Amino acid sequence: MLREGVKLSFVSNRRTELDRPPRTRQQTRNLVKFSWSIQMGDKPDLDLISNLPQSIIEGILMYLPIGDASCPDIDQWILFLSRNGIKEVVLELGEDGEWFRVPWCLFHCEKLTRLDLFRCELDPPPCFKGFPCLKSLNLHQVLVAPEAIESLISSCPLLETLSLSYFDSLALNICAPNLKHLCLEGEFKDISLENTPLLVDLSVALYMTDENGENPEHSSNCKFIKFLGGIPRLERLVGHIYFTKYLSIGKDPGVLPITYNHLKIIELYQVSFEDMKEILVVLRLITSSPNLKELQLSGSSLTSMESPDLDFWEKEGPSDCTFHKLKVVKMTDISGLPHEMEFIKFLLRKSPVLEVMSIMPCVFVTMEARLIIVIELLSFARASPKAGIVFIQD
């Protein structure tokens, strides 16, 4: 009787969801976990969901914690769902325990529109031809062969959102003509966006490999062009750790062969203002973005070990550029290094509609050094009569 009561309650809750805003991810997770734990209390009973209306089965999200079920049990759930036109699968396993190997029956779910996999092994069968309806793919700590992941991405013709995180030593070539949102995090040897002309939102966190980190000068390929040279519709770019370092590898492209007419927001973190090649990356990027509205950068240097070459700004600082749309600039973890200050001076001089330039110093900067930074900031000329400089104390 207890089983039947829980089963009816579960069905009732799912039906009610059709008439109200969907539950949060955590609420949905708790509901399925509760039903799963009741089911596993005796013998497995797949009737727990088989009596649900077809419309609900098609949209169900699976949260199957490995601590509550063995791999064969999860295999049976996936097999059942694959036979019922499942459209969304979110398989998130616990932090502990064995890694789950995704069964081949998942690759027969031709109606899938969303697939999220966490902490598992993925090995598509040789006969797999792709997910023709898949629009969102999220792989987090997934063991998969490099050629398999590239094949998976390219065989999903409607893919719009792709997130790959915690991958090691992966050389990745992405071919996804309908891709609009891309998030990458991990140790990548090489990244190429071969066919992503519709990409509008890009977020990247890179952990440099020994191959790239120790011998960046030995690479003849221009990482900047290979990575960002074919995404003309980009609207928002977020580059986390080592992103500008990675883009600086190889020969300087000079004037870029692409203009980012749609790029309005750029966020670049841990930029080394002691590395001239990284500064060039930032300059090439922002001067090729004529409609840039918001720029956010953080520094990564505390002290300068060498005398700065301030002639760099006379040689490389473009004299004919103007940021006609730039209104907000946020600089964080600033140490007051000469090239940091020259960059700020450059932006103030070239931004006629700038409204706010906010500066937050690094926590290790002394009060005396902060005062010197403020005095220097106030001496800089401003192209915009509305530009206000806000110095933020942490």
Side-chain angles (χ1 to χ4, degrees):
M1 293 298 294
L2 177 61
R3 264 183 181 279
E4 289 298 315
V6 172
K7 186 188 299 183
L8 290 175
S9 175
F10 179 74
V11 173
S12 174
N13 285 335
R14 297 300 291 178
R15 282 176 176 165
T16 304
E17 283 187 329
L18 297 178
D19 300 321
R20 68 178 181 226
R23 295 172 181 268
T24 64
R25 176 171 172 151
Q26 187 61 45
Q27 288 172 328
T28 304
R29 185 202 305 262
N30 291 341
L31 178 60
V32 178
K33 274 187 178 180
F34 176 67
S35 302
W36 175 264
S37 62
I38 294 296
Q39 175 209 356
M40 294 303 296
D42 228 317
K43 297 179 180 180
D45 179 9
L46 291 178
D47 284 340
L48 181 67
I49 61 171
S50 62
N51 291 328
L52 294 176
Q54 184 67 22
S55 59
I56 296 178
I57 292 177
E58 290 179 352
I60 194 171
L61 300 179
M62 292 196 331
Y63 293 94
L64 306 179
I66 194 66
D68 295 337
S70 64
C71 289
D73 295 319
I74 300 177
D75 288 354
Q76 288 196 24
W77 273 79
I78 295 178
L79 176 60
F80 173 80
L81 293 169
S82 69
R83 294 170 175 171
N84 286 272
I86 186 73
K87 289 187 177 180
E88 296 186 353
V89 171
V90 179
L91 185 57
E92 183 172 353
L93 307 183
E95 292 294 330
D96 301 321
E98 61 183 300
W99 283 48
F100 172 66
R101 187 177 182 87
V102 176
W104 280 8
C105 59
L106 178 69
F107 297 96
H108 295 292
C109 301
E110 295 186 350
K111 294 184 179 180
L112 270 184
T113 60
R114 173 187 175 188
L115 177 60
D116 292 8
L117 299 177
F118 299 78
R119 287 182 55 82
C120 61
E121 298 180 32
L122 188 66
D123 184 19
C127 61
F128 178 61
K129 301 299 182 183
F131 295 113
C133 301
L134 195 69
K135 292 188 175 182
S136 176
L137 177 62
N138 179 14
L139 304 180
H140 178 85
Q141 285 187 291
V142 174
L143 296 178
V144 57
E147 60 274 12
I149 192 170
E150 289 187 1
S151 177
L152 174 61
I153 294 170
S154 62
S155 61
C156 300
L158 300 184
L159 191 64
E160 295 181 354
T161 300
L162 174 63
S163 179
L164 305 176
S165 53
Y166 289 90
F167 282 81
D168 295 329
S169 302
L170 179 64
L172 184 64
N173 182 28
I174 297 178
C175 180
N178 283 301
L179 192 65
K180 295 180 180 179
H181 308 276
L182 176 61
C183 180
L184 300 174
E185 179 182 0
E187 186 181 277
F188 294 91
K189 291 192 298 185
D190 197 20
I191 304 175
S192 176
L193 302 184
E194 182 179 288
N195 183 16
T196 55
L198 302 184
L199 192 65
V200 297
D201 188 3
L202 175 60
S203 177
V204 185
L206 297 175
Y207 309 111
M208 297 288 286
T209 65
D210 291 340
E211 179 180 334
N212 283 337
E214 294 180 2
N215 300 301
E217 304 294 338
H218 295 172
S219 175
S220 59
N221 294 325
C222 177
K223 301 293 188 182
F224 193 120
I225 299 301
K226 196 172 183 181
F227 197 174
L228 302 181
I231 46 177
R233 293 179 178 270
L234 194 63
E235 298 178 8
R236 178 174 178 266
L237 173 64
V238 180
H240 295 279
I241 183 171
Y242 289 126
F243 181 66
T244 52
K245 181 68 174 178
Y246 177 84
L247 293 183
S248 71
I249 295 174
K251 296 180 180 179
D252 174 34
V255 179
L256 298 182
I258 183 174
T259 300
Y260 302 103
N261 289 313
H262 303 275
L263 189 53
K264 297 179 176 63
I265 299 175
I266 296 177
E267 298 177 25
L268 301 175
Y269 297 93
Q270 297 194 14
V271 178
S272 173
F273 281 91
E274 294 179 282
D275 187 330
M276 301 299 100
K277 297 193 71 174
E278 285 194 51
I279 298 175
L280 271 178
V281 164
V282 176
L283 289 176
R284 298 281 187 259
L285 186 57
I286 64 175
T287 56
S288 298
S289 307
N291 295 305
L292 184 64
K293 291 185 177 180
E294 182 174 334
L295 175 65
Q296 181 168 337
L297 281 84
S298 73
S300 67
S301 305
L302 294 178
T303 57
S304 180
M305 303 302 294
E306 300 178 358
S307 300
D309 178 18
L310 295 182
D311 290 339
F312 167 87
W313 292 95
E314 294 295 329
K315 301 173 184 175
E316 301 292 347
S319 58
D320 57 345
C321 82
T322 302
F323 304 108
H324 294 285
K325 303 290 182 68
L326 187 60
K327 292 186 177 182
V328 177
V329 175
K330 300 177 182 179
M331 303 280 291
T332 59
D333 291 325
I334 297 303
S335 303
L337 297 177
H339 285 299
E340 290 177 340
M341 304 307 291
E342 287 295 324
F343 181 73
I344 294 172
K345 181 194 295 186
F346 170 75
L347 291 177
L348 288 172
R349 193 172 66 247
K350 299 292 186 177
S351 307
V353 298
L354 186 68
E355 296 176 358
V356 177
M357 165 78 77
S358 68
I359 308 293
M360 178 181 289
C362 174
V363 294
F364 299 106
V365 176
T366 65
M367 290 302 299
E368 181 181 357
R370 294 180 184 214
L371 180 59
I372 294 174
I373 292 174
V374 171
I375 293 174
E376 190 170 358
L377 287 173
L378 294 175
S379 70
F380 291 159
R382 310 175 200 180
S384 171
K386 298 181 180 180
I389 297 179
V390 179
F391 192 81
I392 302 173
Q393 296 273 34
D394 52 358

